[in-house]
Structure formats: C-alpha cells, structure tokens
C-alpha cells in the first residue's frame, strides 16, 4: 500500500463531502479501465437496477485492483460515467462498502447520453498508486 495524502478541502475551496479534492502519493501508478456491470462470464447484471449494477461494478474494480497488487486504499481517483445523475446514490452506497468516508479519493461524475450497451446505467474507472 502506498502512502497517500488526502486533502478534502484545500484553503479557499469549498469542502467536499463525497470525495477528496486532492490526493497525492508516491509509487507505481495503476490505471483501471472503466468497469461495467457484467459478471465474470460477460453477462449483464442488474438490468434497470442501479444498486445491483453499482455492486457489480465495484466488485469488478476490486478484482482489477487486486490483479495489479492494489486495493481500494490505493485508489486516488474515481470517475463515474452515468446515464442519469439519479444513479449516484447507488454508486455511493456500493463505494461505501469498499471505501470509508475518511479515505475517499478524488472523484468526478459525468452524465453521458449512453454507454457501450443500452442496459448499462454506469461505468466507473479508477486510478491508484501502489
């Protein structure tokens, strides 16, 4: 695990409650491609169910991080691509199962018109420093 410093509220910047504004670290950089809600057989999970999709996406992220010798404690940035901002609470609940509020990474959320398949409601990518 790398030594990471999280700065949720730099001087003069409004404090963040759902992410850290700045995360710094030294070590090996790991980029995880956007993970979609498919199981290990490539089957879609949770059609029309943002909770199920978010859980699957975070499980896929966990497996990808582990393959790189990393874990959620090493994540410095998450980017959420959602077809509707209303899915963010489901993503936050799934994230909370892996990341406590005192170790939140920098984050961005982007609403998109569509993802690679119409049944997908979200995709999440991660950057980590190990």
């Amino acid at each position: 695990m790398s030594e990471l410093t999280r700065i949720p509220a730099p001087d003069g910047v409004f404090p963040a409650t759902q992410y850290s504004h700045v995360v710094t670290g030294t070590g090996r950089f790991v980029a995880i491609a956007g993970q979609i809600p498919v199981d290990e057989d490539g089957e879609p999970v949770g059609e029309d169910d943002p909770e199920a999709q978010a859980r699957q996406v975070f499980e896929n992220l966990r497996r990808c991080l582990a393959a790189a010798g990393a874990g959620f404690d090493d994540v410095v940035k998450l980017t959420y691509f959602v077809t509707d901002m209303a899915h963010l609470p489901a993503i936050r609940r799934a994230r909370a199962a892996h990341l406590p509020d005192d170790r939140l990474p920098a984050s961005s959320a982007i609403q998109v018109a569509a993802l690679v398949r119409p049944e997908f409601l979200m995709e999440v990518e991660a950057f980590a420093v190990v």
Side-chain angles (χ1 to χ4, degrees), residues 27-73:
R28 182 172 50 89
F29 179 75
V30 176
I32 306 294
Q35 295 299 300
I36 52 178
V38 295
D39 66 17
E40 59 193 25
D41 297 320
E43 295 299 319
V45 171
E47 188 168 347
D48 297 323
D49 183 349
E51 299 284 340
Q53 288 197 15
R55 284 191 304 272
Q56 184 65 50
V57 165
F58 273 85
E59 176 59 18
N60 292 348
L61 286 169
R62 185 194 66 74
R63 290 176 177 173
C64 290
L65 288 162
F72 279 100
D73 284 345

Side-chain angles (χ1 to χ4, degrees), residues 36-130:
I36 52 178
V38 295
D39 66 17
E40 59 193 25
D41 297 320
E43 295 299 319
V45 171
E47 188 168 347
D48 297 323
D49 183 349
E51 299 284 340
Q53 288 197 15
R55 284 191 304 272
Q56 184 65 50
V57 165
F58 273 85
E59 176 59 18
N60 292 348
L61 286 169
R62 185 194 66 74
R63 290 176 177 173
C64 290
L65 288 162
F72 279 100
D73 284 345
D74 301 306
V75 173
V76 296
K77 174 78 164 65
L78 291 169
T79 304
Y80 310 108
F81 300 93
V82 294
T83 57
D84 188 327
M85 288 294 179
H87 303 320
L88 287 177
I91 289 172
R92 288 183 186 124
R93 285 187 288 277
R95 181 191 67 195
H98 300 279
L99 284 161
D101 285 346
D102 66 341
R103 288 199 310 262
L104 294 176
S107 299
S108 297
I110 302 145
Q111 185 168 327
V112 296
L115 293 165
V116 68
R117 291 177 53 173
E119 65 268 32
F120 296 157
L121 306 175
M122 63 195 65
E123 179 174 327
V124 181
E125 69 180 13
F127 297 141
V129 176
V130 181

Side-chain angles (χ1 to χ4, degrees), residues 4-25 75-76 101-107:
L4 299 178
T5 301
R6 290 170 175 80
I7 306 168
D11 288 343
V13 176
F14 188 78
T17 58
Q18 296 296 325
Y19 59 93
S20 295
H21 278 290
V22 180
V23 180
T24 63
V75 173
V76 296
D101 285 346
D102 66 341
R103 288 199 310 262
L104 294 176
S107 299

